[in-house]
Every structure is written in structure tokens, then in C-alpha cells.
């Protein structure tokens, strides 16, 4: 079945550092790929998505590119802020199939 | 526009007790989902619904039942709670499986 593997955390960075959170997937066909973010005490919210190969999703300074050849969708941000501290989830879905989530990566940004 | 709301926010049960968690959405979404979130396990899908009157099993359905009598509501029931069901439960809704899911704030359930 479909699965998502993302790097284990926690990840601790200083403010203004470069962020990469790795995400790879196993799936048949061409799923849609997502990054969700969960701030402390809240539910998840969509950060960005990509629906086909080579698409780049972007939002709030975060970017991820759908790489079919490496089955990856790594999340990047050039300069993190303390307010980016959260848990980040990579996920995939096919048409008519519910989202499959990775286990999440906790990011802590220190001033 | 309240989005997705969940009731209650916190609950403590004793083993063997029953309870129902209520999820409501005001976005006219067809799809609704119940997840549980446990440390180190990410989110796991319990049950979902693709429309009023329909339900389907997810990854971890055992010990739970659901009902979708109205399009805007999705109920999650625990008939006989067990300590293994201690978790944070999230409800979500969407227009479709490849569309953005909107999540509620969660219900923290402790079973003693």
C-alpha cells in the first residue's frame, strides 16, 4: 500500500537557518502530495501541495518540489523564524483515497 | 464561519464506559474523517465518510463506530473504552480526497 516516510525529529535550528525536512513516498501512479503543519495545541492546517510531477508548492516562504524520479517531496525554507516551530507532516493521496500521513517531524527554532 | 468544531475538548473516562465525540462542519463538505494522534505514530485514520449516510473503515477502526446522519455532522462512538484508546482525536472535512482537509481543534481523551 501507499506510504510516506519523513525524517525523524526533533529538528532544532537557530533563527535564520536553512531548513530541509525530507519526505519520500511509495505509491502507484501519480498521487497528490501535501505538507501540513500543526502548531502547538491546534489541529493540522495545509501548508502547501503539488498535484503532478515537477510542480512546486509554496507558501509562507516554504517550498517543496514533486520529484517523481526520486519519489520525494522535501520541504525547504531559506530562513526559519521562531514562529515556524511546529510539527510538519508530509502526506499523499490518490483520487478517492484518503490521505496517508507520515509520522511528523517536530521543528524547534531558537532565537 | 466556524469551520470544523469538535465537542468536547477534553474528556476522562473509566475503562468500559462509553462516549460519543461530535464533529460539525459548516463548509458543505462531502468528505469527513476521524483520526487519532499518538506520540511517534503520526495521524492514523479511524473511519471516514464520503457523504451523508455513508461510512468506511480506515487504518485503525476497531473499537470505534461512526455515523453520518446529517451532512454537516460526523459522530465517533466508543462503546466500551479501553486505556489503549487514550489519544488526541481530530476530525477533518474536505470537498474530496485530493482537496485540502480542514481540521478541528482536537479532543483529548484519557481512559483510566
Amino acid at each position: 500500500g501507499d506510504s510516506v516516510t519523513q525524517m525523524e525529529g526533533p529538528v532544532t535550528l537557530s533563527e535564520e537557518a536553512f531548513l530541509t525536512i525530507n519526505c519520500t513516498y511509495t505509491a502507484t501512479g501519480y498521487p497528490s502530495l501535501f505538507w501540513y503543519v500543526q502548531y502547538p495545541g491546534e489541529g493540522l492546517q495545509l501548508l502547501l501541495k503539488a498535484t503532478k510531477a515537477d510542480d512546486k508548492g509554496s507558501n509562507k516562504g516554504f517550498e517543496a518540489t514533486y520529484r517523481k524520479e526520486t519519489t520525494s517531496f522535501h520541504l525547504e525554507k531559506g530562513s526559519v523564524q521562531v514562529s515556524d516551530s511546529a510539527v510538519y507532516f508530509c502526506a499523499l493521496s490518490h483520487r478517492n483515497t484518503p490521505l496517508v500521513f507520515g509520522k511528523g517531524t517536530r521543528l524547534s527554532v531558537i532565537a | 464561519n466556524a469551520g470544523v468544531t469538535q465537542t468536547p475538548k477534553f474528556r476522562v473516562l473509566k475503562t468500559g464506559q462509553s462516549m460519543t465525540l461530535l464533529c460539525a462542519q459548516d463548509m458543505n463538505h462531502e468528505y469527513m474523517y476521524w483520526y487519532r494522534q499518538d506520540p511517534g505514530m503520526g495521524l492514523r485514520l479511524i473511519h471516514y465518510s464520503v457523504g451523508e449516510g455513508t461510512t468506511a473503515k480506515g487504518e485503525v477502526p476497531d473499537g470505534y463506530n461512526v455515523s453520518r446522519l446529517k451532512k454537516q455532522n460526523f459522530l465517533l462512538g466508543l462503546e466500551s473504552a479501553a486505556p489503549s484508546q487514550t489519544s488526541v482525536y481530530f476530525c477533518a472535512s474536505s470537498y474530496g480526497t485530493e482537496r485540502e482537509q480542514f481540521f478541528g481543534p482536537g479532543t483529548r481523551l484519557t481512559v483510566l
Side-chain angles (χ1 to χ4, degrees):
Chain A
D2 295 347
S3 66
V4 174
T5 302
Q6 58 183 110
M7 62 187 289
E8 292 190 18
V11 175
T12 303
L13 295 174
S14 297
E15 210 166 20
E16 299 183 1
F18 185 87
L19 168 71
T20 299
I21 300 178
N22 290 336
C23 171
T24 57
Y25 67 90
T26 302
T28 56
Y30 298 89
S32 294
L33 301 175
F34 305 81
W35 278 101
Y36 280 80
V37 59
Q38 184 180 30
Y39 298 104
E42 299 182 8
L44 281 70
Q45 55 186 274
L46 180 66
L47 181 59
L48 53 84
K49 64 181 282 189
T51 57
K52 60 183 187 295
D54 300 324
D55 265 2
K56 178 184 284 188
S58 61
N59 186 24
K60 299 181 180 180
F62 291 89
E63 293 184 339
T65 301
Y66 190 139
R67 301 288 188 198
K68 180 65 176 174
E69 63 276 12
T70 54
T71 62
S72 64
F73 193 54
H74 304 322
L75 182 69
E76 297 182 335
K77 187 176 186 183
S79 176
V80 294
Q81 306 300 312
V82 172
S83 57
D84 294 326
S85 298
V87 182
Y88 293 82
F89 293 90
C90 186
L92 69 81
S93 76
H94 286 103
R95 187 176 179 184
N96 298 325
T97 304
L99 278 175
V100 174
F101 284 94
K103 293 187 177 181
T105 302
R106 182 177 299 277
L107 170 67
S108 295
V109 181
I110 53 177
Chain B
N1 190 338
V4 179
T5 58
Q6 293 183 230
T7 309
K9 289 185 167 48
F10 303 93
R11 186 72 186 269
V12 178
L13 291 178
K14 295 181 179 179
T15 297
Q17 288 185 318
S18 63
M19 78 163 294
T20 300
L21 281 67
L22 170 64
C23 176
Q25 53 95 4
D26 61 2
M27 294 172 281
N28 203 34
H29 287 162
E30 290 292 336
Y31 290 68
M32 296 188 74
Y33 314 84
W34 276 108
Y35 296 92
R36 59 178 289 173
Q37 184 177 30
D38 302 293
M41 300 295 291
L43 264 75
R44 293 182 291 171
L45 183 65
I46 304 171
H47 286 281
Y48 64 103
S49 169
V50 301
E52 181 178 320
T54 74
T55 63
K57 294 181 179 180
E59 180 185 357
V60 288
D62 293 342
Y64 305 94
N65 56 75
V66 288
S67 64
R68 184 99 180 267
L69 298 179
K70 293 182 179 181
K71 185 176 184 178
Q72 63 268 34
N73 295 337
F74 195 30
L75 305 180
L76 177 71
L78 287 73
E79 289 188 348
S80 179
S84 60
Q85 293 177 305
T86 293
S87 188
V88 180
Y89 291 85
F90 286 99
C91 177
S93 69
S94 70
Y95 285 114
T97 55
E98 292 184 292
R99 303 288 296 275
E100 177 181 1
Q101 284 192 17
F102 292 82
F103 283 78
T107 295
R108 184 174 294 276
L109 175 65
T110 301
V111 183
L112 303 176

